[in-house]
Amino acid sequence: MRDIRLDNITAVAASSLAGLPDARQRELMQQLLLHLHAYAKTVKLTHAEWRAALAFLHRTGDISSNTRSEFSLLSDVLGLSSLVDLMASTPDATPGSVLGPFHTVGSPWLGNPANLIAGNAGQPVVLRGRVLGAQGQPLVDASIDFWQNADNGLYWQIDPTQPSDNLRCQLKVDAQGNWEVDTIRARPYQIPTDGPVWHDVVAPAGRSAWRAAHVHLIVSAPGHRTLVTELFDAEDPYLDSDAVFGVREALIGRYQLQTDAAAAARLGLQGEQCLVMHTDIVLSPLPAEP
Ligand code: BEZ
Ligand code: FE
């Protein structure tokens, strides 16, 4: 095509990708191109704006490394990560929520109840519940990968004072599908504020850097979709302004003061009372093979 014009460039560019051999890859790339062109036409993108956008992407890449992805953060603060999580969620199951940058593969396997308190300041609490299938049946082969931040708000990866396996573990549910993690109450946490995502997008919009306090879980069971999600604290002040749109009503739990001498002892508390948040997690079955 030697006569590229405003009225044919989009179609010509899209059809130039028709040779991509994988049908899904072809759809992803052609739709991306069509939407980018539509965006540029809608906003009447100027040269200066286009150069500024590319410079922003350069800065986003420059600050990224093996241990930090500013592109993930961009996806998070634009709500794209949460949109993908919500599209992958099903109405009959616990909704997904952001993975975030602090998951580490291979956390230590602990018994159930797991106890993560050792060496940590903070308010001792119990997180417990069951892992269930869509019909309410306990999923007795389920496993949970759990991680959270410390009382100073930091995850171990960005706090040299914490050991590398602090406040993270894997555990298996018991024969009734019950799980329990004895831990400290998670604290609100700020997304990184030293990069272009904060300086160029989030701060100028007058938005907050705070993430509502949460713990992370990846819950898996044979025959079921693996769920990446978070549990939030009903008393947290940032539930309505979470910086990455991670909060879902179904993921907000309230700590209740309960009499449970055994749990209180596990938490190292005097007396028989402790704060317990109970959350049942429901997994969807894997779709049937075609
Ligand atoms: C977090 O879960 O801690 C997190 C998620 C997204 C961006 C930054 C932090
Ligand atoms: Fe987190």
Side-chain angles (χ1 to χ4, degrees):
M1 167 63 78
R2 63 165 57 187
D3 188 19
I4 298 294
R5 303 179 309 270
L6 194 54
D7 66 358
N8 68 11
I9 184 164
T10 300
V12 171
S15 62
S16 76
L17 297 175
L20 285 171
D22 180 81
R24 178 63 176 160
Q25 179 73 358
R26 192 161 61 242
E27 180 183 17
L28 290 170
M29 289 307 301
Q30 288 187 318
Q31 286 297 327
L32 175 64
L33 184 153
L34 292 175
H35 282 82
L36 280 174
H37 280 227
Y39 167 79
K41 288 174 187 168
T42 301
V43 301
K44 298 190 168 46
L45 193 66
T46 66
H47 274 117
E49 291 160 345
W50 168 73
R51 277 195 301 272
L54 292 183
F56 168 77
L57 291 176
H58 271 285
R59 290 195 298 280
T60 301
D62 286 344
I63 203 169
S64 295
S65 67
N66 285 345
T67 53
R68 170 174 185 171
S69 173
E70 191 80 353
F71 285 108
S72 296
L73 185 62
L74 181 61
S75 164
D76 294 341
V77 303
L78 293 181
L80 180 62
S81 310
S82 270
L83 173 64
V84 175
D85 291 335
L86 290 167
M87 287 192 298
S89 300
T90 52
D92 55 348
T94 301
S97 186
V98 285
L99 174 68
F102 297 116
H103 177 247
T104 306
V105 173
S107 286
W109 282 95
L110 300 184
N112 180 10
N115 194 316
L116 299 178
I117 296 172
N120 281 286
Q123 185 173 24
V125 292
V126 171
L127 296 166
R128 63 161 69 120
R130 291 172 300 164
V131 180
L132 304 171
Q135 269 71 50
Q137 76 281 20
L139 297 180
V140 299
D141 294 321
S143 307
I144 297 179
D145 192 341
F146 178 100
W147 69 105
Q148 69 165 87
N149 62 358
D151 196 49
N152 61 4
L154 302 179
Y155 288 83
W156 70 267
Q157 292 94 332
I158 51 171
D159 180 2
T161 69
Q162 295 180 45
S164 64
D165 57 359
N166 199 34
L167 293 168
R168 63 188 179 101
C169 69
Q170 299 182 79
L171 70 157
K172 292 185 182 298
V173 300
D174 71 12
Q176 286 74 46
N178 293 303
W179 63 277
E180 177 172 321
V181 179
D182 302 330
T183 184
I184 53 148
R185 196 168 185 164
R187 307 273 287 166
Y189 165 85
Q190 289 197 317
I191 61 166
T193 55
D194 59 345
V197 168
W198 170 254
H199 286 297
D200 295 16
V201 181
V202 185
R207 277 171 50 181
S208 160
W210 288 96
R211 289 225 57 204
H214 59 273
V215 300
H216 294 267
L217 301 97
I218 300 177
V219 187
S220 50
H224 290 76
R225 290 178 198 246
T226 296
L227 175 70
V228 178
T229 196
E230 304 178 280
L231 300 179
F232 293 89
D233 181 339
E235 292 176 41
D236 189 88
Y238 300 108
L239 287 173
D240 289 308
S241 57
D242 182 50
V244 300
F245 310 100
V247 182
R248 332 259 177 259
E249 190 69 40
L251 301 179
I252 302 173
R254 188 172 289 279
Y255 288 106
Q256 312 271 6
L257 195 60
Q258 289 187 7
T259 301
D260 183 334
R266 286 195 295 273
L267 297 186
L269 298 173
Q270 308 287 331
E272 302 191 341
Q273 294 202 308
C274 54
L275 284 178
V276 178
M277 184 192 289
H278 186 106
T279 311
D280 287 340
I281 293 158
V282 181
L283 300 186
S284 331
L286 280 174
E289 294 283 327

